[in-house]
Amino acid sequence: MRHMPDTPDAPRIRILDPATVNQIAAGEVVERPASVVKELLENAIDAGAGSIVIDLTASKETITAIRVTDDGCGMAPADAQLAFVPHATSKIASIDDLHRIRTLGFRGEALATIAAVSRVTLVTKLRGSGAVPGTRIIMEGGQVLETAGTGAPDGTGVLVEDLFFNTPARKKFQKSKNTELAHIHDILEGICLSHPAIAFHLYYNSTEQLVTDRTNRTLDTIARLFGSGIIRDLIPVNASLSFLTVNGFVSRPSLARKDRARMIVSVNQRFITSPAINDAIKAGYGTLLPKDRFPVAFLNLTLDTTLVDVNVHPTKKQIRLSREKEITEFIRTSVRDALLTHDLIPAAESPASMVTLVPGLPEKPVRSYDLSTTTAPGGVFESTHAGTAATDQRLRQTELSIDCDPTHLVSSLLPEIEVIGEFGGIYILARTSGDELLLIDQHAAHERILYEQVTGQALETRPSQELISPVILHRSAKEAAILKDLLPALAREGFILEGFGGDAFLVRAVPVVLGRLEETTVIDEIISDLVSEEAAQTVSNRERITRIVACRGAVKAGTVCTQEQSQRIVDQLRRMKNPFTCPHGRPTMIRFTRKELDTMFKRI
Ligand code: ADP
Ligand code: MG
């Protein structure tokens, strides 16, 4: 047996010495260099700093030193010594204070634990202490090496070197320097966005990396951090309840990303990570985004402090919310309402509007549209007779069922649109009454129309239309098994299929929106899509089938429409509740304003 004491009667349990306790605690608070940056920044913010400077020093392989300097309240000599004592804090006196906590720190752990696993030099001077000198304290592995009076400006500077020098296991687990730098950037972005009124400067080996100005406009901070190009695609969100205010920006769907990294949320000016809040923001987009796409969002929540428990984890990155359901539901509807009341057409990439907001900023490319795969020439409408007839068939179907209530048109989210041409059988060229040029993806647009038409029917079972001659489908054994399970769900959506012996099926009827299907291949495509998609689905069967029907029933890309047909698509699209994206979240249109075009041509 391990840890066997020398004498059998001696106690085996011992109380750990404070240095060991601190090193263990450090494991929770100080995971990596970014944790040091976070804790020091939080202390500077709590000290009321107006300007904070972060200096990182790195060798080829690792970050060797982190210094955070602030112009905050500073510390008197006695406080400076107490600051390194575990559980010493000026921020709370008892647990009750946690319910009204306004500071970022409260556990009194950070400086003690950082000092336990590194070499720390603190220089501080109490603001307004006049002739009384400042204090310098040097700590190493939790031991005080030096305490001295020193000349110093008001405020505090903390230098952390040789992180994890005495905890080799932790040191070994550090990722590459670039990974650690990325984590530091993430922390800094979150903190800058939750404190736009503080100026932040980041230096890396003495080279300036990032600057934010003191501002009361979060947009300025966003532009500093991510480039001003992003701003045109942001929509403001401002909404409040008695106990909750939501302020900030969410992106147009066109700016969506594959990850959640740019959903940056703070609660009472604390940058946090909350899957529940992220989910609520995403839910606000509904079908504007596919399930594996995430919006860009910068939201600051102001919440009654009694409803937030920040004492969940030593790093204070997670929170627990009381009334979480109400809060997340309000976030969802705030985001949704903001999206519904704003123009969601992605603006075309133009060099013009970028510079107007924050002069002198580098522009980071946010996205670009690659049209290079389009080979067919465009401009004139050309079409075969048979093709025109088939397209007509598809369009008529959607026109018939769209509700022609004129009030619907009045409330259109789009201006009047006149079709002027087409490009490659894929894009419709149009101009708006607002003197803008639109490029419309004809397939995406028609897909949206079909989708809203189907979902507009609040029916348990959707109407179906019998085929003039039933279609026989043959499937592989595996697909047939999947399809058999789906038959009841398909019937509810208007597909009447029967087993036809072995792995064959007879299709008797299809949803009315698909019309008098003459192209039986569409049925085959729809069924293939259904059985080929992965079994693990997050959307309901109904939603999945609807999207597939919309996609397969819509006019295909590459089908050349007549000008009149294109105009009909556009007119139908104008009546949609959500004309800006297809059900998968891709944009239906891109807009160029006259001004943007003029600027591109250097007319202004
Ligand atoms: P906490 O922030 O949870 O109180 P810390 O260990 O981070 O614990 O800091 C301990 C105390 O040291 C703080 O409560 C504060 O009084 C003081 N302190 C730390 N950093 C600063 C700073 N940059 N400026 C002024 N006081 C500071
Ligand atoms: Mg702290």
Side-chain angles (χ1 to χ4, degrees):
M1 191 179 167
R2 290 187 296 149
H3 307 307
M4 197 61 173
D6 298 341
T7 43
D9 301 339
R12 294 186 213 167
I13 298 176
R14 64 177 79 81
I15 296 171
L16 296 174
D17 62 83
T20 310
V21 170
N22 264 346
Q23 284 186 11
I24 292 171
E28 294 190 311
V29 184
V30 190
E31 288 168 296
R32 56 186 350 147
S35 338
V36 172
V37 173
K38 172 177 180 291
E39 293 297 335
L40 297 182
L41 286 177
E42 291 191 348
N43 281 347
I45 293 166
D46 284 345
S51 167
I52 301 175
V53 180
I54 305 119
D55 288 289
L56 302 177
T57 311
S59 65
K60 241 186 167 155
E61 294 85 32
T62 63
I63 298 169
T64 52
I66 297 165
R67 186 208 309 269
V68 173
T69 314
D70 69 61
D71 61 355
C73 63
M75 284 177 266
D79 280 334
Q81 299 199 22
L82 276 172
F84 288 101
V85 176
H87 315 297
T89 179
S90 56
K91 299 169 192 175
I92 60 169
S94 78
I95 194 75
D96 296 334
D97 295 337
L98 266 188
H99 300 308
R100 38 182 177 271
I101 190 90
R102 286 271 162 211
T103 54
L104 297 171
F106 54 85
R107 299 174 61 103
E109 277 180 328
L111 286 184
T113 49
I114 291 169
V117 293
S118 69
R119 180 183 164 94
V120 175
T121 307
L122 168 86
V123 175
T124 186
K125 181 169 186 290
L126 186 66
R127 177 169 291 287
S129 58
V132 180
T135 310
R136 181 174 67 231
I137 297 177
I138 301 177
M139 306 277 297
E140 193 179 270
Q143 305 298 317
V144 184
L145 289 191
E146 183 193 311
T147 309
T150 178
D154 287 353
T156 303
V158 181
L159 170 67
V160 176
E161 296 165 291
D162 297 334
L163 187 61
F164 303 132
F165 78 95
N166 56 350
T167 49
R170 176 62 62 139
K171 190 166 191 157
K172 222 176 71 196
F173 276 107
Q174 293 311 295
K175 298 283 187 319
S176 77
K177 182 179 75 175
N178 285 338
T179 306
E180 297 306 331
L181 286 172
H183 280 281
I184 291 175
H185 267 272
D186 287 346
I187 296 276
L188 196 59
E189 283 167 6
I191 289 183
C192 289
L193 286 168
S194 49
H195 290 89
I198 299 176
F200 291 89
H201 290 252
L202 171 68
Y203 293 89
Y204 177 73
N205 285 341
S206 304
T207 312
E208 188 177 273
Q209 296 286 305
L210 192 134
V211 186
T212 68
D213 309 302
R214 300 191 72 160
T215 173
N216 51 15
R217 279 172 31 108
T218 320
L219 270 188
D220 294 344
T221 311
I222 293 171
R224 280 291 186 194
L225 295 174
F226 305 109
S228 54
I230 195 176
I231 285 177
R232 296 169 307 143
D233 283 320
L234 295 180
I235 289 166
V237 181
N238 297 294
S240 49
L241 288 177
S242 58
F243 58 89
L244 166 66
T245 306
V246 182
N247 288 314
F249 298 87
V250 293
S251 63
R252 286 183 177 141
S254 51
L255 209 62
R257 297 165 55 94
K258 286 212 183 75
D259 58 35
R260 297 171 179 80
R262 235 164 248 163
M263 298 172 82
I264 302 182
V265 176
S266 70
V267 171
N268 295 339
Q269 294 201 292
R270 180 189 304 280
F271 165 45
I272 49 117
T273 40
S274 163
I277 293 176
N278 282 354
D279 287 349
I281 297 171
K282 162 98 205 250
Y285 282 74
T287 58
L288 286 173
L289 287 178
K291 67 172 195 293
D292 55 351
R293 290 265 154 179
F294 302 93
V296 172
F298 308 110
L299 290 186
N300 292 316
L301 312 187
T302 312
L303 194 53
D304 183 335
T305 53
T306 59
L307 299 178
V308 197
D309 181 0
V310 287
N311 194 23
V312 179
H313 188 266
T315 58
K316 301 163 286 173
K317 275 185 207 157
Q318 291 146 33
I319 52 168
R320 207 175 289 127
L321 297 172
S322 311
R323 301 169 74 172
E324 180 176 287
K325 269 238 163 68
E326 268 171 275
I327 292 168
T328 51
E329 179 56 14
F330 185 68
I331 294 170
R332 184 185 73 79
T333 52
S334 306
V335 169
R336 187 203 58 197
D337 292 350
L339 291 169
L340 278 179
T341 49
H342 281 80
D343 175 359
L344 296 184
I345 312 173
E349 206 59 43
S350 99
S353 49
M354 294 161 187
V355 278
T356 46
L357 285 147
V358 184
L361 275 184
E363 166 59 20
K364 297 183 195 167
V366 181
R367 72 200 138 79
S368 61
Y369 294 96
D370 183 10
L371 300 177
S372 57
T373 50
T374 309
T375 47
V380 257
F381 289 94
E382 248 182 279
S383 181
T384 62
H385 180 70
T388 307
T391 304
D392 250 20
Q393 167 80 49
R394 288 183 177 217
L395 290 182
R396 200 170 326 118
Q397 200 50 47
T398 41
E399 266 164 350
L400 286 177
S401 17
I402 284 182
D403 106 51
C404 282
D405 173 6
T407 55
H408 216 114
L409 257 183
V410 171
S411 63
S412 174
L413 291 168
L414 292 173
E416 301 262 352
I417 298 170
E418 182 198 347
V419 172
I420 52 179
E422 66 89 31
F423 182 75
I426 296 182
Y427 302 108
I428 299 170
L429 273 57
R431 75 166 147 247
T432 71
S433 51
D435 209 17
E436 296 160 329
L437 175 68
L438 291 184
L439 293 181
I440 299 165
D441 180 323
Q442 76 184 27
H443 171 73
H446 198 221
E447 205 178 351
R448 162 56 64 184
I449 294 164
L450 273 165
Y451 176 81
E452 285 203 15
Q453 223 173 43
V454 176
T455 53
Q457 307 163 338
L459 298 169
E460 183 53 36
T461 301
R462 289 181 170 142
S464 59
Q465 161 128 19
E466 238 170 270
L467 296 174
I468 296 168
S469 41
V471 175
I472 298 171
L473 297 177
H474 292 277
R475 297 279 92 144
S476 72
K478 184 183 156 213
E479 287 180 344
I482 300 175
L483 192 52
K484 273 187 194 127
D485 286 344
L486 281 171
L487 289 184
L490 279 167
R492 281 192 292 277
E493 305 311 316
F495 286 98
I496 312 297
L497 272 72
E498 293 164 9
F500 199 59
D503 298 329
F505 294 82
L506 191 67
V507 186
R508 289 198 173 281
V510 297
V512 160
V513 282
L514 291 177
R516 262 184 213 293
L517 263 191
E518 274 142 35
E519 310 148 85
T520 50
T521 48
V522 173
I523 300 177
D524 198 62
E525 286 168 352
I526 290 176
I527 301 301
S528 299
D529 281 358
L530 266 171
V531 292
S532 73
E533 286 205 6
E534 288 163 33
Q537 288 294 332
T538 53
V539 293
S540 65
N541 266 336
R542 165 155 280 191
E543 175 70 13
R544 194 157 67 94
I545 297 170
T546 308
R547 287 187 195 176
I548 293 173
V549 166
C551 180
R552 292 301 184 173
V555 174
K556 290 197 168 60
T559 312
V560 180
C561 295
T562 65
Q563 180 147 5
E564 189 258 330
Q565 287 173 335
S566 298
Q567 186 66 50
R568 279 156 64 190
I569 294 181
V570 171
D571 289 343
Q572 292 181 28
L573 185 65
R574 287 190 64 231
R575 300 184 202 172
M576 294 301 114
K577 284 200 210 95
N578 200 334
F580 306 109
T581 56
C582 79
H584 309 283
R586 281 185 289 107
T588 53
M589 61 183 78
I590 292 173
R591 171 190 56 180
F592 298 80
T593 64
R594 166 64 69 90
K595 194 166 156 243
E596 280 166 336
L597 289 172
D598 286 349
T599 315
M600 285 181 199
F601 284 101
K602 310 229 179 298
R603 286 173 152 270
I604 48 174

